[in-house]
Amino acid sequence: MMSGTTRERLGFVPKRSGESLYVAVLEPTSTPWKVPVVLVPADAEERTWSQRAVVNLARRLCDEGHPALRFDFLGQGESDGAFEETDLDTRVEDLGVVVGRAMARYGVSPWLVGLRLGASVAIRFAASRPAEVAGVVAIEPIDSGEASLQELLRKNLANQLLVHRKIVMNRKELRDRIDSGTPANCNGFLVAKRYADSLAAVDGKADRARCMHLQVLRLQGGTDGEVVDTPPFWIATQTFQSYPADLFDAVARLLPPNRVTKPTG
């Protein structure tokens, strides 16, 4: 629930391509503010499952004094475009548009808080444009893009079993079909060649090595970040979590506490 100390504005921000991104801007009612935060969402079905938690995280950070911006990538949520016409490069471009809006409004570089593939996008953006990012909090970033692609294709196989009671086309055949120009439907998201190629090329460890001011939060164990005892909330589970409080506490703790900014535009 949004508190009385927060105001929220919903709208669309145009890209140079003519398409528009859906962006929600949350601002504390009292100034000066803490450093602004851009929340970078998970992707495809993981975005769907985690959407409510991302909304709640934005409101939690705003209640603590951070202006918070959340948005939908092109082809997802309320933004323009078709999923099958996007890839990781378009996601990095989308993030750049929102970061630019934050810098114009607050006069300082924002922190990025990314989830899953959104964390990988945030890391890639910060590594390529470090002057525009104060820091990154990466929540369970992708380690292997190829493994993530195979998991997407597995969802297509599961639907085949439901519909046909057998596997009509295995993952290799699906990938060959994608490479030939026919997208594969993975739980309602059309995975085309440009997306599949860009996802498969993600090397999480190498990307993280190029990113300065990076904080990693792991929910499933790991050696490259702080481990938070919270079940994954971006997949279907028996207990749905829309407010993983321990994770939200960890994110808030990693952000700078000082108040540094007032609106400039």
Side-chain angles (χ1 to χ4, degrees):
M1 181 177 180
M2 190 169 61
S3 76
T5 61
T6 300
R7 53 176 173 259
E8 185 166 348
R9 293 181 286 111
L10 313 177
F12 293 87
V13 176
K15 294 186 67 176
R16 290 181 180 178
S17 63
E19 298 167 305
S20 293
L21 299 173
Y22 172 80
V23 180
V25 180
L26 294 83
E27 294 179 343
T29 55
S30 61
T31 60
W33 296 326
K34 297 179 182 179
V35 64
V37 178
V38 175
L39 282 83
V40 192
D43 206 62
E45 189 177 21
E46 291 188 345
R47 174 208 168 272
T48 303
W49 283 107
S50 62
Q51 173 68 5
R52 188 62 187 173
V54 171
V55 171
N56 286 335
L57 176 57
R59 292 175 176 172
R60 161 70 187 275
L61 295 178
C62 193
D63 284 344
E64 297 208 0
H66 297 278
L69 293 81
R70 57 180 181 84
F71 69 100
D72 294 330
F73 291 123
L74 284 182
Q76 302 188 62
E78 297 188 54
S79 289
D80 290 344
F83 184 90
E84 61 271 24
E85 296 174 358
T86 67
D87 56 21
L88 257 69
D89 287 341
T90 66
R91 284 158 177 75
V92 172
E93 292 171 4
D94 294 347
L95 177 55
V97 171
V98 182
V99 168
R101 178 57 60 98
M103 293 179 70
R105 171 67 171 162
Y106 307 114
V108 297
S109 299
W111 273 69
L112 309 180
V113 176
L115 173 64
R116 299 290 290 145
L117 187 62
S120 300
V121 170
I123 289 167
R124 184 168 294 190
F125 179 87
S128 62
R129 297 161 68 171
E132 299 176 43
V133 178
V136 178
V137 177
I139 304 170
E140 202 66 47
I142 298 297
D143 286 323
S144 166
E146 179 61 35
S148 296
L149 176 61
Q150 292 301 316
E151 179 62 21
L152 274 175
L153 297 180
R154 189 190 66 77
K155 297 179 187 300
N156 182 286
L157 267 60
N159 284 330
Q160 290 182 45
L161 288 172
L162 284 174
V163 174
H164 304 290
R165 298 184 182 276
K166 63 179 181 178
I167 300 297
V168 178
M169 188 176 297
N170 64 32
R171 279 184 283 189
K172 182 181 183 306
E173 292 168 331
L174 282 173
R175 184 64 200 269
D176 289 344
R177 189 181 186 201
I178 290 171
D179 287 344
S180 70
T182 302
N185 188 330
C186 299
N187 277 10
F189 295 92
L190 294 179
V191 175
K193 177 175 171 53
R194 63 181 292 186
Y195 178 83
D197 288 348
S198 66
L199 178 58
V202 171
D203 181 340
K205 185 176 181 179
D207 285 345
R208 292 193 292 275
R210 291 190 291 267
C211 183
M212 299 175 62
H213 308 298
L214 171 64
Q215 303 285 343
V216 176
L217 294 175
R218 292 289 185 184
L219 278 63
Q220 299 176 302
T223 59
D224 63 342
E226 177 183 345
V227 177
V228 182
D229 187 17
T230 297
F233 54 91
W234 53 84
I235 56 176
T237 58
Q238 289 184 334
T239 303
F240 175 70
Q241 284 201 91
S242 63
Y243 200 100
D246 289 346
L247 175 64
F248 290 2
D249 290 343
V251 172
R253 187 175 65 253
L254 293 173
L255 297 173
N258 51 311
R259 297 184 179 270
V260 297
T261 184
K262 294 182 180 180
T264 61

